[in-house]
Amino acid sequence: MLDRAVVDGLFPADLPDPSHWEQFYPSRGLPNGAEVTRFAPSPTGFVHIGGVYTATIARDVAHHSGGSYFVRIEDTDQSREVAGVASQFDRAFEYFDIVSDEAQDAPWGPYLQSAREHIYLSYVRELMREGAAYPCFCTRDELAEMTKRQQATKVPTGYYGSWARWRDADPGEVAAKLAAGDDYVVRFRSPGTQGRISFTDAIRGRLEHEANRNDVVILKTSSASPRLPTYHFAHAVDEHLMRVTLVVRSDEWISSVPLHLQLFEALGFQPPRYAHVAPLMKQEGGSKRKLSKRKDPEASVDFYLDAGYPSEAVLYYLRGLANGRLAELPLAQALVEPIRLDACGVAGPLVDMVKLADISGDHIATLPGPAVLDAVAAWAAERDPELVAVLAEHRELAARAIDVERVGVDNPRKDLFRWSDFRSIYGFFFPPLFTLVTDAADERLGGLDAGLVRKLAADYAEHYTWADDQPTWFSQIRELAARHGFAPNPKAYKQDPDAYPGMLRDAANVLRVAITGATRSPDLHAVCGALGTDEVVRRVRALAG
């Protein structure tokens, strides 16, 4: 073991002892059963929808137990940080309501690991003083060569036992390397336990896993500034000082629990409970795989923000994946019912985008028109400025348009699944967004003679009148078709197709295309009522030429 003076010389002279931090970070004073949870993303990548899923569970458990939930940014791997991640984090946290309960200046902060350097150094120094950690001078090349030899001799790879070159090195040799200014990392002196250990997971129950034998790195290279720990060591220190009682995280970390428990024990900390969440999955052919950031656009949180899925619909869907019973409840109720850890599955739930679209469409159909328009405008603010301007200029028209087949009907339309679909579904209502149909030979008109198409349009525009009563309003289309020789019904047309240019529905299609730009549209009577007589006539006259 290194002399205490040598150890202390590796750290700032004014570095506090651990006792300082124990007093500095107070007990939370929460009632029995109150859970303190956290979401701890790394800025080495954008937030995954699986992260939102995990954070939603963590936040819900904390809030329903009368505890607290916070967000901690784990930025110890600064060389791999991705530009723009911080702003994406903010957007995602706000949109999906997983913002921290605690501000950066809360008593247990800061919640940015790079701002906690001195805290970690205090505890690393303490472990080194006790001989529970030591400096290692192995280079990358030396470690790579060691791994090759381990593989060649078919022994487990890693830095342990007789392979741990600096674990029991002569203190004089270590002191000489330090005096020479050689770069080093600090490694945890593992107990080297063989066999398996068991622990209880709040979701999975009793688990067994191979004990940790490796002397892992706990403090990165001495040449770096700031001098930051590895994830494993920061995890132990932060969960303790931030008084976390329950760590909700992805099941990929289950294999690290034996190491983490060793670190908690070496530091003299009471470990938190763990709840390891199964990953979100995707069906691919006949098999399932984890949802992948690299392969699946729906894995990225930005996919949902950019597409404009209502956050309530996504959260409802995710909560239903966590606890199946919540998927059977109405959305409003499911969003406030507690997520139960003992009801979370151990197999990863499948993400079904068709199901999410159905949920989203059902939810949007329940919203009042003004709420839909406000949400569309908020979504479009940074993505479709033209649409924002149009909605602002034509607010009354927008209100009438959004009510078509939504208000006063038994089965409201549910074809708007995402705010990004608004332009394609409702855009034709707005004159600035609508392209007039002027070509009488347009294929959407069903192949009717162009001259006849123009006559139909001119006649309709000349005699068009609005009627609140749908049958009365439609009678003018029926009369128009009869004047221009169209068959009154399919039976008559089928008996003598050469006697007619088409059927009533063909004549009606000409007007539908002229007014809406499509062969299929919402109820044409309702559409014309929303547009108003002047706009209907303007559009039909454009086709008349």
Side-chain angles (χ1 to χ4, degrees), residues 483-498:
R483 288 197 299 271
H484 291 272
F486 285 81
N489 54 58
K491 183 178 179 181
Y493 182 78
K494 187 175 182 180
Q495 288 176 344
D496 189 4
D498 294 334

Side-chain angles (χ1 to χ4, degrees), residues 43-61:
T44 55
F46 296 104
V47 179
H48 187 287
I49 192 64
V52 174
Y53 177 63
T54 301
T56 297
I57 295 172
R59 181 180 182 274
D60 190 87
V61 170

Side-chain angles (χ1 to χ4, degrees), residues 341-371:
L341 292 178
D342 60 4
C344 290
V346 298
L350 280 173
V351 173
D352 183 342
M353 296 306 294
V354 175
K355 177 65 173 176
L356 175 58
D358 288 344
I359 289 171
S360 186
D362 289 347
H363 171 60
I364 292 173
T366 68
L367 300 177

Side-chain angles (χ1 to χ4, degrees), residues 45-121:
F46 296 104
V47 179
H48 187 287
I49 192 64
V52 174
Y53 177 63
T54 301
T56 297
I57 295 172
R59 181 180 182 274
D60 190 87
V61 170
H63 286 186
H64 278 97
S65 68
S68 185
Y69 154 87
F70 62 85
V71 175
R72 181 177 69 233
I73 305 302
E74 302 198 331
D75 62 340
T76 59
D77 195 354
Q78 297 188 322
S79 64
R80 295 176 54 228
E81 283 193 20
V82 176
V85 163
S87 59
Q88 194 255 8
F89 281 6
D90 290 342
R91 293 195 304 273
F93 299 164
E94 183 71 29
Y95 197 76
F96 290 110
D97 196 24
I98 51 174
V99 174
S100 177
D101 295 340
E102 302 173 7
Q104 282 291 331
D105 60 356
W108 300 276
Y111 299 101
L112 186 70
Q113 287 186 332
S114 60
R116 300 171 65 83
E117 177 186 12
H118 279 64
I119 299 173
Y120 305 128
L121 292 179

Side-chain angles (χ1 to χ4, degrees), residues 27 32 43 62 79 114 137 152 162 175 178 180 220 239 252 260 267 272 307 350 381 386 389 397 470 485 509 528 537:
S27 169
N32 289 337
S79 64
S114 60
F137 302 91
S162 61
L178 293 172
K220 298 179 183 181
E239 311 307 4
E252 67 186 276
H260 294 166
L267 290 162
L350 280 173
E386 181 186 29
L397 171 58
Q470 195 276 342
N509 180 64
C528 290
V537 170

Side-chain angles (χ1 to χ4, degrees), residues 429-466:
F429 280 98
F430 304 95
L433 303 181
F434 181 73
T435 301
L436 294 171
V437 181
T438 58
D439 182 4
D442 191 300
E443 63 180 11
R444 289 171 291 179
L445 299 170
L448 292 177
D449 177 76
L452 177 59
V453 167
R454 284 192 286 269
K455 288 179 182 178
L456 272 174
D459 190 354
Y460 190 74
E462 181 68 24
H463 297 96
Y464 177 76
T465 56
W466 169 251

